[in-house]
Amino acid sequence: VPGPIDALAGRLPDGAVSTDPAVIAARAHDRWALALLRAVRGDPPPAALAVVTPRSVEEVAETLRWAGETRTAVVPRGAGSGVSGGAQASAGAILLDLSAMDRVLEIDETSLAVSVQAGARGNRLEEALGTAGLTLGHYPQSLAISTVGGWIAAFSAGQSSAGYGAIEDLVLGMTAVLAGGEVIRLAPRPRSAAGPDLRRWFIGSEGTLGVVVEAVLSASPLPGRWAWDAYRPAGFEEGFATARAAAQRRVHPLVVRLYDEPDAALSFGSLGHRGGPVLLFGWDAAQPWAVAQRDAVRSWARAGGTEDLDAAYGAHWWEHRNDAVRTYERVMGEERLFGPGVVVDTMEVAALWRDLPALYPGVRQALLARAEAVGCHLSHTYRAGASLYYTFLYRAADDRAAEEGYLALWREAVAACHAAGGTMTHHHGVGLLKASSLEAELGAGGISVLRRVKDALDPDGLLNPGKLLS
Amino acid sequence: VPGPIDALAGRLPDGAVSTDPAVIAARAHDRWALALLRAVRGDPPPAALAVVTPRSVEEVAETLRWAGETRTAVVPRGAGSGVSGGAQASAGAILLDLSAMDRVLEIDETSLAVSVQAGARGNRLEEALGTAGLTLGHYPQSLAISTVGGWIAAFSAGQSSAGYGAIEDLVLGMTAVLAGGEVIRLAPRPRSAAGPDLRRWFIGSEGTLGVVVEAVLSASPLPGRWAWDAYRPAGFEEGFATARAAAQRRVHPLVVRLYDEPDAALSFGSLGHRGGPVLLFGWDAAQPWAVAQRDAVRSWARAGGTEDLDAAYGAHWWEHRNDAVRTYERVMGEERLFGPGVVVDTMEVAALWRDLPALYPGVRQALLARAEAVGCHLSHTYRAGASLYYTFLYRAADDRAAEEGYLALWREAVAACHAAGGTMTHHHGVGLLKASSLEAELGAGGISVLRRVKDALDPDGLLNPGKLLS
């Protein structure tokens, strides 16, 4: 007897639906450390029914109509680079793989606006823009293994957010498909006061309110020539003042990064770094006014007792900035660089500048209670605050024992973050990992609003169940 | 027999509820031209039941609990400076006047974050910030007669949006009260990826999804010294190229404005302006890098055949920028400067740079079909596009006849805007005036999402009925 999956296959072009177990298994999780841990120890992922690979907006709409009719859950995914479990398979769900919708549709060289399908990867988009002398300026570490749709769904921010803004600053227009198959097309606007900004309702929704299928994004001219300034502040917190001044006094570097001593040792040890924190500024030196802005930042840095470092620090970081992605499989994949029982993960929080001096040690101590090799850097600076990005290594007796301790570590670190006034995620999203903490994050009123909107837009709870809202 | 209004008065402090007809009449509309026209010709406004003037979040919550229990509609208002009818009274509703909640609660001089009640007026907020050497950088023409809550509700943008961003870039945190009285408190964040940004769901919601009662806003250091550059491009559209270059090539003026010939004659005639458009840039000249940025803009302007004008044009604009507010009563109030049957109004649209050359004449011709003295300036520039702000004078046989023609003029101008790819409002909002065009603006899918969310958050439709969603 043909089942509902056969019916779906009949409504889509040949090859769009696969029930091949290998195809399903390859898309059963993202890069969440716990999902990788479970995979290497051989636990089967939740049993999804099929992988659907649409090639058009209409095919996504047809799939969601079918899902509504058959009450089938849908887990959307791009390239699977998320680290919070947002693309984890659910039992009985279909996996909606948008990676075949990867075309750059149009580049408007007057408005610097690029229309692109949600499954396009970042490096492909940059190549297309580069031929027009443009860049999106959105450079997550995952650039080569993440998609436009994933960036929007998970509220992505890139390494040059100081210069170009984060994903929400780049989204001009959007096409999304709601549960049940209704298509909404939000025309590209530089800004509009015609009601609340519906684009923003889907940014960060992690596929729970709709599936983003196309976007129009705001690009910029490629920087003319990168240049770097590097400093060693007296201490990590002493470096905050210079980073804060740069964010508040209207200089416009493209990159701002401040490493604490452990993270600096890890990142710059190969340069012979002699200890202490490292503060980096990246500039477009082809702009004539960059000289005066670099001088200003240098004077603020020196006023705080900061020592100059070689500009090679910046070039080194730029060259190696995405190495972690390439070595990731060695750490958490089959090779298990640090052996069984070990989980390496990252946590990125954010707060107002006023709260950062307490947030930094608060989260650090919570992590150190269970983890080792805890390093931290400050990045993504704003007038009002900044992000802190921790890397840590958690070691248990074996892979089985690691799960409980890892989850306890996260609960404790999130609680420490909230106690210090921070948000538990700056750009990695909530996914499965942090869903149980979302009420503590948003408050009872905030979570109530979000749940009511979820129920209004997806009354049967079919879109990415269990993610974001536990 | 005591009615529901007496019951409400009993639940609030003495004096919080007034049924005095003069108090109600003074708050029965905002500065929407049609409401003013109806007022001067003596039409009674819709009969509201009472004015409620809360002094705390709890009093707003108590009022909305009462409103939910009694199914009474609530029209929130700040200072009533809106020009789209968003604060127009409804028959049988209470008017929730937030103007007594006008305190600046705290200034965080590290994060440059100011906590403020929604009823605080802009000039009062600027005074408080100024004592700390700060500014919000949000300067709508209505600064002295508009409130923080109104800015958020109506998606406000100020004259220095090029330098400081518009209201959505300034909101760090928010407290709002939902229909039924539930209070949501969204903690101030520089950025967060913990779900979609709930702050943004209320910005531009015009009091239809909740009542914003407090906000935490992102301030900046006061500019050190204003300086101006002025140019005369060969034509209005020729000026677009320079404004666009400034927005896309990472110079950072505080103000960018480009006037077409009629608007330039109106704005700069007293300076002996000899015709042609006027392009203004305002800078913080205390920043050492401003010199190089001003030089760059000058070179882009001259490359386009643009002639230098005296910097006095900028100082003149700055000095007189808010005169329109002071003379408004003479135009549309009791004095009727241009006589009965005349309506003076403004329309602000926005589009991608690519669409502006068609949008400008498209809307202009639609307005000229019924109006005279149509002037336009470009302001609020973005990488992807800009706003066009039209002023026009519509003349009918008498005040009675003016209404129909005025509404037809708006329908036609909005249709022309949409046909050219523009949004019908950049920062004045939708209100009553444009509610019937919102579906054309957002599309069937967009309006469906907004209606579903409205029903989820305000199932009885009590919050500002008829505004935004017709």
Side-chain angles (χ1 to χ4, degrees):
Chain A
V1 181
I5 296 293
D6 301 300
L8 174 61
R11 289 161 72 163
L12 295 175
D14 283 353
V17 178
S18 173
T19 54
D20 179 340
V23 170
I24 294 174
R27 290 159 185 79
H29 58 77
D30 56 16
R31 286 186 175 221
W32 181 26
L34 190 54
L36 296 171
L37 182 78
R38 290 168 177 165
V40 293
R41 76 187 186 202
D43 294 6
L49 302 177
V51 171
V52 180
T53 309
R55 294 185 176 270
S56 68
V57 174
E58 180 46 39
E59 289 176 29
V60 175
E62 185 66 23
T63 303
L64 293 196
R65 278 193 291 272
W66 167 88
E69 295 160 10
T70 58
R71 302 266 171 129
T72 305
V74 178
V75 178
R77 61 182 286 122
S81 71
V83 293
S84 307
Q88 174 85 34
S90 302
I94 58 162
L95 308 178
L96 185 64
D97 179 351
L98 292 155
S99 63
M101 291 180 65
D102 65 348
R103 282 184 298 137
V104 177
L105 301 170
E106 186 194 4
I107 297 174
D108 164 2
E109 297 191 33
T110 304
S111 316
L112 310 189
V114 54
S115 303
V116 60
Q117 291 184 308
R121 294 191 183 213
N123 56 348
R124 185 189 161 95
L125 176 58
E126 282 299 315
E127 283 165 22
L129 287 168
T131 62
L134 301 176
T135 178
L136 192 61
H138 185 75
Y139 312 136
Q141 198 173 50
S142 60
L143 188 71
I145 57 163
S146 61
T147 64
V148 167
W151 299 343
I152 294 172
F155 232 136
S156 171
Q159 292 146 338
S160 291
S161 68
Y164 299 101
I167 193 66
E168 68 273 21
D169 303 306
L170 305 174
V171 175
L172 298 168
M174 186 191 289
T175 302
V177 184
L178 303 185
E182 188 174 10
V183 178
I184 66 168
R185 296 181 190 276
L186 302 170
R189 311 282 192 209
R191 183 185 199 260
S192 170
D197 188 344
L198 301 182
R199 301 171 300 190
R200 298 295 296 261
W201 297 17
F202 295 95
I203 297 173
S205 68
E206 301 190 8
T208 64
L209 301 181
V211 180
V212 175
V213 287
E214 289 179 6
V216 184
L217 303 174
S218 172
S220 292
L222 274 166
R225 179 167 61 82
W226 281 88
W228 297 93
D229 295 315
Y231 303 97
R232 175 164 43 205
F236 186 55
E237 290 94 332
E238 283 81 354
F240 291 1
T242 306
R244 179 163 72 88
Q248 295 180 342
R249 298 191 198 177
R250 298 177 49 75
V251 295
H252 292 93
L254 299 177
V255 170
V256 181
R257 299 177 76 84
L258 169 65
Y259 293 77
D260 75 357
E261 177 145 7
D263 215 13
L266 197 68
S267 301
F268 304 103
S270 67
L271 288 180
H273 180 62
R274 293 177 297 114
V278 170
L279 175 59
L280 294 183
F281 289 89
W283 303 91
D284 179 359
Q287 298 187 306
W289 47 90
V291 177
Q293 296 194 351
R294 294 171 72 180
D295 285 348
V297 171
R298 188 170 296 112
S299 72
W300 301 332
R302 288 180 179 167
T306 285
E307 183 187 337
D308 289 9
L309 291 173
D310 196 283
Y313 276 74
H316 177 83
W317 172 75
W318 182 252
E319 187 181 340
H320 295 283
R321 69 192 188 281
N322 297 341
D323 285 0
V325 168
R326 290 194 284 271
T327 59
Y328 198 74
E329 280 72 15
R330 298 185 58 210
V331 175
M332 286 301 301
E334 297 293 342
E335 191 175 329
R336 301 304 300 276
L337 192 60
F338 301 104
V342 173
V343 180
V344 173
D345 204 357
T346 59
M347 179 183 191
E348 22 63 71
V349 301
L352 300 181
W353 289 108
R354 183 171 64 176
D355 294 329
L356 286 176
L359 180 67
Y360 169 60
V363 172
R364 179 174 158 76
Q365 283 157 21
L367 291 171
L368 280 171
R370 292 185 185 265
E372 55 195 271
V374 176
C376 179
H377 61 262
L378 177 149
S379 51
H380 307 290
T381 56
Y382 307 88
R383 276 199 300 251
S387 169
L388 295 177
Y389 189 104
Y390 296 86
T391 306
F392 59 90
L393 185 152
Y394 172 70
R395 192 187 301 273
D398 57 40
D399 281 347
R400 190 65 49 189
E403 178 156 341
E404 190 185 341
Y406 169 84
L407 291 171
L409 174 153
W410 266 98
R411 278 195 303 274
E412 292 158 12
V414 165
C417 170
H418 285 155
T423 171
M424 64 183 177
T425 174
H426 176 270
H427 60 272
H428 284 171
V430 175
L432 283 175
L433 173 58
K434 299 161 219 168
S436 62
S437 301
L438 193 64
E439 181 159 353
E441 173 87 20
L442 300 180
I447 205 88
S448 152
V449 167
L450 190 55
R451 282 193 192 283
R452 284 201 253 174
V453 170
K454 168 72 174 174
D455 290 344
L457 296 183
D458 181 18
D460 295 322
L462 301 179
L463 289 183
N464 217 7
K467 318 302 165 45
L468 188 59
L469 288 157
S470 65
Chain B
V1 181
I5 296 294
D6 301 300
L8 174 62
R11 291 162 70 163
L12 295 175
D14 282 354
V17 178
S18 173
T19 54
D20 179 340
V23 170
I24 295 175
R27 290 158 185 80
H29 58 74
D30 56 17
R31 287 186 174 222
W32 181 26
L34 190 54
L36 297 171
L37 182 79
R38 290 168 177 166
V40 294
R41 77 186 185 204
D43 294 7
L49 302 178
V51 171
V52 180
T53 310
R55 294 184 177 271
S56 69
V57 175
E58 180 45 38
E59 290 175 29
V60 175
E62 185 66 22
T63 303
L64 293 196
R65 279 193 291 270
W66 167 88
E69 295 159 12
T70 59
R71 304 266 170 127
T72 306
V74 178
V75 178
R77 60 183 285 122
S81 71
V83 293
S84 307
Q88 174 85 32
S90 302
I94 58 162
L95 308 179
L96 185 64
D97 179 351
L98 292 155
S99 63
M101 291 180 65
D102 65 347
R103 283 184 298 138
V104 177
L105 301 170
E106 187 194 3
I107 297 174
D108 165 0
E109 297 191 32
T110 304
S111 316
L112 310 189
V114 54
S115 302
V116 60
Q117 291 184 308
R121 294 189 184 214
N123 56 348
R124 183 188 163 94
L125 177 59
E126 282 299 315
E127 282 165 22
L129 287 168
T131 62
L134 301 176
T135 179
L136 191 62
H138 186 75
Y139 312 136
Q141 200 173 48
S142 61
L143 187 72
I145 56 162
S146 61
T147 65
V148 167
W151 298 343
I152 294 172
F155 233 136
S156 172
Q159 291 148 337
S160 291
S161 68
Y164 300 102
I167 193 65
E168 68 274 20
D169 303 306
L170 304 175
V171 175
L172 298 168
M174 185 191 290
T175 301
V177 184
L178 303 185
E182 187 174 10
V183 177
I184 66 169
R185 297 182 189 276
L186 302 171
R189 311 281 191 211
R191 183 185 199 260
S192 171
D197 188 344
L198 302 181
R199 302 171 299 191
R200 298 295 297 261
W201 297 16
F202 295 95
I203 298 173
S205 67
E206 302 191 6
T208 64
L209 301 181
V211 179
V212 176
V213 287
E214 289 179 7
V216 184
L217 303 174
S218 172
S220 292
L222 274 166
R225 180 168 60 83
W226 281 89
W228 297 94
D229 295 314
Y231 303 96
R232 175 165 42 209
F236 186 57
E237 289 95 331
E238 283 80 355
F240 291 0
T242 306
R244 179 164 72 88
Q248 295 180 341
R249 297 190 199 177
R250 296 178 50 75
V251 295
H252 292 93
L254 298 177
V255 170
V256 180
R257 300 176 75 84
L258 169 65
Y259 293 78
D260 74 358
E261 178 145 7
D263 215 12
L266 197 67
S267 302
F268 304 103
S270 66
L271 286 180
H273 181 62
R274 292 176 297 114
V278 171
L279 174 60
L280 293 183
F281 289 89
W283 303 90
D284 178 359
Q287 298 187 306
W289 47 91
V291 177
Q293 296 194 352
R294 294 170 73 180
D295 286 349
V297 172
R298 187 169 297 113
S299 73
W300 300 331
R302 288 179 179 169
T306 285
E307 183 187 337
D308 288 8
L309 292 173
D310 195 284
Y313 276 74
H316 176 84
W317 172 74
W318 182 251
E319 187 182 338
H320 295 282
R321 69 194 187 281
N322 297 340
D323 285 1
V325 168
R326 289 194 284 273
T327 58
Y328 197 74
E329 280 73 15
R330 298 184 58 211
V331 174
M332 286 301 301
E334 296 294 342
E335 192 176 329
R336 302 304 300 277
L337 193 60
F338 301 104
V342 173
V343 180
V344 173
D345 204 357
T346 60
M347 178 182 191
E348 23 63 70
V349 301
L352 299 181
W353 289 109
R354 182 171 63 177
D355 294 329
L356 286 176
L359 180 67
Y360 169 60
V363 172
R364 180 174 157 77
Q365 283 156 22
L367 291 171
L368 280 171
R370 291 184 184 264
E372 55 194 270
V374 177
C376 179
H377 61 262
L378 177 148
S379 50
H380 308 290
T381 55
Y382 307 88
R383 275 198 301 252
S387 169
L388 295 176
Y389 189 105
Y390 296 86
T391 305
F392 59 88
L393 186 152
Y394 171 70
R395 192 188 300 274
D398 57 40
D399 282 346
R400 190 65 49 192
E403 178 157 339
E404 189 185 340
Y406 169 84
L407 291 172
L409 173 155
W410 266 98
R411 277 194 304 274
E412 292 158 12
V414 164
C417 170
H418 286 156
T423 171
M424 65 184 176
T425 174
H426 176 269
H427 60 272
H428 285 172
V430 175
L432 283 174
L433 173 58
K434 299 161 218 167
S436 62
S437 301
L438 192 64
E439 181 160 353
E441 172 87 21
L442 300 181
I447 205 88
S448 151
V449 168
L450 190 55
R451 281 193 193 284
R452 284 201 253 173
V453 171
K454 168 71 173 174
D455 290 344
L457 297 183
D458 181 18
D460 296 322
L462 301 179
L463 289 183
N464 216 8
K467 319 301 165 44
L468 188 60
L469 289 158
S470 63

